[in-house]
Each structure stands twice: as structure tokens, then as C-alpha cells.
Amino acid sequence: LEVHSDAGVACRLAVRRTATVKLCWRRPLSRSAPGQRSGMNIDIDEITGIFIEESLEGLDTMEHGLLNLDIGAADPETMNAIFRAAHSIKGGGATFGFTAISEFAHDLETLLDEMRQGERAVTSDGVDLTLQSVDCLRDMIRALATDEDYSRQATELRSALTAMMADSAAAPEITAAPA
């Protein structure tokens, strides 16, 4: 929903799962003909704050789901919720130009998708690595506000995620049904 005022302020209300967010920007009325859009001044700090808040909520969802997974027999609904949270963080990171977050979340999402699709067994090693990745993503997202360095931890965990995905021994064994 977009609303315009006489003062040249446009507001867009975005209804999200957890809150209604109001984004406003001023339009230079003297440069544009009525009804035309010209440059928008969006408060990037506000957008970043929304991304951080929603991502941290998603990470909490992931952590809760991972801690309650049954190793070897993961609940499909729980796996889908964990995957969706990683997918949302990846997409938001890419949308707002947080490339390191988006790329890290993509690697995590790929591993989770393999588990979700049954292409990879849900093992204690996989869950442990995924929980470490959730902690790393949390640090990366918090670093957006504090300018902390997370690169070493992220690089090491991305290597571990890649190694786990390349390890065919981690794939589930398919056994024939009893005759």
C-alpha cells in the first residue's frame, strides 16, 4: 500500500509476519511532474535494522528446530521451517547487498535442502555443523551494526559445509524393502 501526502512524502506499508513496517521517503516535488517517481531517499539504516531483526528471528527458528531434530528421522515440517529461514536470510542478504551473508546462507541452505529432500542423512555431525553455521550467521548479521570481523570463522565454516556436501559417505544408505 502506498500513500502520498501534500508534503511530498510517500509511505509504503509493508505487512510482515511479525509486524507492520512503515517506510517513508521524500519526493522532490519541484523536479518531477505529478505522478512520476524520481529519486527516493530510503533510510538504509532502517532497512538494515529490519533485515537484522527478521534474520535473527529466523536464526532463532533454525536453532530451535535443529536442537529438536531427531537424528536419522527428521520431521519434514521442522526441516522445511529450518530451510525456509535459511532461504529468507539468503534472499534478504542478496537483496540488500550483504554478499558475504547471502553466500554463506546459500551454502547452508544447500546442505539443509539435501537433508530436507532426503538426499543426505540427518546426522549428528550435520546438525552440529549446521548449528555452528547458525551461530556464525548470527555473528555476521550482528556485525552489520557493529562492524566486527567475522570473516575467519565464516571462511572456516564455509569450507566445512563444502566438505560435508562433497562427502558422499554422508549420503543416506538406501536399503531394499523387506520382501
Side-chain angles (χ1 to χ4, degrees), residues 13-164:
L13 295 178
V15 180
R16 300 190 183 274
R17 250 182 318 115
T18 56
T20 301
V21 179
K22 180 179 174 184
L23 306 174
C24 295
W25 61 92
R26 292 210 174 267
R27 293 196 178 157
L29 295 175
S30 60
R31 291 186 179 175
S32 308
Q36 286 185 334
R37 289 186 182 221
S38 61
M40 295 187 308
N41 295 324
I42 298 175
D43 184 355
I44 194 66
D45 291 334
E46 183 177 356
I47 300 293
T48 301
I50 293 166
F51 171 75
I52 291 170
E53 181 181 332
E54 289 189 1
S55 295
L56 292 175
E57 288 174 11
L59 290 167
D60 289 344
T61 298
M62 291 175 70
E63 184 174 55
H64 178 76
L66 288 163
L67 289 171
N68 292 301
L69 273 181
D70 290 326
I71 302 300
D75 173 52
E77 188 174 318
T78 301
M79 285 305 302
N80 283 331
I82 295 167
F83 172 83
R84 281 192 309 272
H87 181 75
S88 294
I89 293 167
K90 177 195 76 171
T95 299
F96 298 116
F98 305 131
T99 306
I101 291 171
S102 178
E103 289 175 353
F104 188 90
H106 174 73
D107 289 345
L108 177 57
E109 176 193 42
T110 301
L111 179 63
L112 289 167
D113 194 37
E114 289 177 1
M115 291 178 183
R116 178 177 75 125
Q117 298 294 334
E119 298 168 3
R120 173 173 305 280
V122 177
T123 63
S124 58
D125 287 343
V127 171
D128 288 346
L129 180 58
T130 305
L131 283 167
Q132 289 174 38
S133 298
V134 166
D135 289 341
C136 182
L137 262 176
R138 187 176 282 118
D139 291 344
M140 293 171 79
I141 289 165
R142 286 181 178 151
L144 292 173
T146 62
D147 292 329
E148 293 176 32
D149 183 25
Y150 54 80
S151 58
R152 181 170 173 238
Q153 179 188 16
T155 300
E156 290 172 2
L157 281 170
R158 280 189 79 189
S159 294
L161 286 167
T162 301
M164 181 169 277

